[in-house]
Amino acid sequence: MKIGIVCYPTFGGSGVVATELGLELSKRGHEIHFITYNQPVRLELISNNVHYHEVTVPEYPLFHYQPYELALSSKLVDMVKLHGIEILHVHYAIPHAYAAYMAKKMLQEEGILVPIVTTLHGTDITLVGSHPFYKPAVTFSINKSDAVTTVSKSLKEDTLRLFDIKNKISVVSNFIDLEKYNHAFTDCQRGMMAQDNEKIITHISNLRPVKRVQDVISIFYKIQKEIPAKLMFIGEGPEKEQVELRCQELGILNKVVFFGKSNEIDKILCFSDLFLLPSQTESFGLVALEAMASGVPVISSNTGGLPEVNIHGSSGFLSDVGDVDDMTKNALYILSDEDRLKTFKANARKEALKFDLHAIVPKYEAIYQDTLSKCFVL
Ligand code: GMT
């Protein structure tokens, strides 16, 4: 199949899923066209059947806001015509599903039929999409998609609760390339980061309020009072400065390593003992799955799709949002006994196996086939 993929090219989970999906589909013989405003961060390989088409929005002084949706839908029209793209898979409803629908209508005028698969990722539904300013357009574009998927059962429920949805929604969870995270622990450069007696705790996010990064600091502060530990803090975002200030106030700056954005999280996770994800909401928690695939147990909140990924008492523990005392207690329980830590690490990897990309990517292929056959029957 010739598949057009529209996504955010940044470090966010939706862009990562879209990119990894496109790369895997290309390995399975499909021709993939990424259409977005920058080369996706994890798209390192442009091969024969992976293409990248940049959407540019020329600056015009009259416009207070430059019209990205317009430029994207025009680019979609051009690329579908030029490359014979058969189906468009758009990741994140805003504004991608909307722009794709416009492109579809324009193409229909020329007798070209291109169905749209929309994957909802989380904040496009739970935080941004349900805002009254966007809600009518988001509802419309979900209902006008030819197929709709969510990345967890929980996100499907949220979508049905928050929007008036007439379309069927299929759940296709986030997935992981287990090979990439299959380091023998001896490969890791743990010694560069911490002393042998120190436990390594990691957090990765875009440091937005929804990630509750101050909770990460509170939990780590309490942990390091009980056992020697270091915190690896990966990501950039609006809360970073506050986090640094708080670490300074608490006198733990020397125990926290700030990495900024990283394309090598597998290498950092490789030497981690525990992962913290105390988010306010999380439709799935791809980063928790990445940690688990590296054999790192997860201490998370019990919100959204996280209970579908992090299994309480097996791969880690779940607590109510904001309950930093419970999260600390659970973290210390895992970290304070070497045999127990080993068991949680093994369980984390085992639970991650359920999300093997080889099992999940065919579900998207089946949705494309089904959507194409339905469209061309109509
Ligand atoms: O987590 C973020 O803030 C980024 C966001 C995105 O859309 O890029 O991630 C969302 O999509 C991921 C991939 O499907 C999910 O694993 C994340 O849980 C989800 N984030 C939230 O729901 C907050």
Side-chain angles (χ1 to χ4, degrees), residues 13-83:
S14 60
V16 170
V17 168
T19 308
E20 304 279 2
L21 172 64
L23 292 176
E24 180 58 20
L25 287 167
S26 76
K27 287 186 199 152
R28 296 168 71 91
H30 303 286
E31 185 178 304
I32 304 301
H33 295 264
F34 286 97
I35 303 157
T36 180
Y37 58 85
N38 260 329
Q39 181 161 326
V41 286
R42 290 211 189 163
L43 185 64
E44 283 151 7
L45 169 102
I46 303 284
S47 77
N48 251 352
N49 51 353
V50 179
H51 307 265
Y52 160 61
H53 312 292
E54 188 162 307
V55 181
T56 33
V57 188
E59 292 275 327
Y60 187 63
L62 180 70
F63 299 150
H64 184 63
Y65 302 105
Q66 306 302 319
Y68 179 66
E69 291 90 312
L70 223 62
L72 174 60
S73 36
S74 294
K75 188 79 182 181
L76 290 174
V77 168
D78 290 346
M79 293 305 104
V80 166
K81 282 162 60 181
L82 188 65
H83 297 283

Side-chain angles (χ1 to χ4, degrees), residues 8 10-17 92 119-124 126-127 151 174 206 208 210-211 279 281-287:
Y8 282 105
T10 49
F11 276 88
S14 60
V16 170
V17 168
Y92 210 88
T119 290
L120 307 172
H121 279 273
T123 48
D124 47 351
T126 52
L127 289 184
V151 297
N174 285 177
N206 51 21
R208 298 196 176 269
V210 69
K211 301 294 173 184
S279 305
T281 168
E282 202 68 63
S283 69
F284 180 91
L286 177 63
V287 76

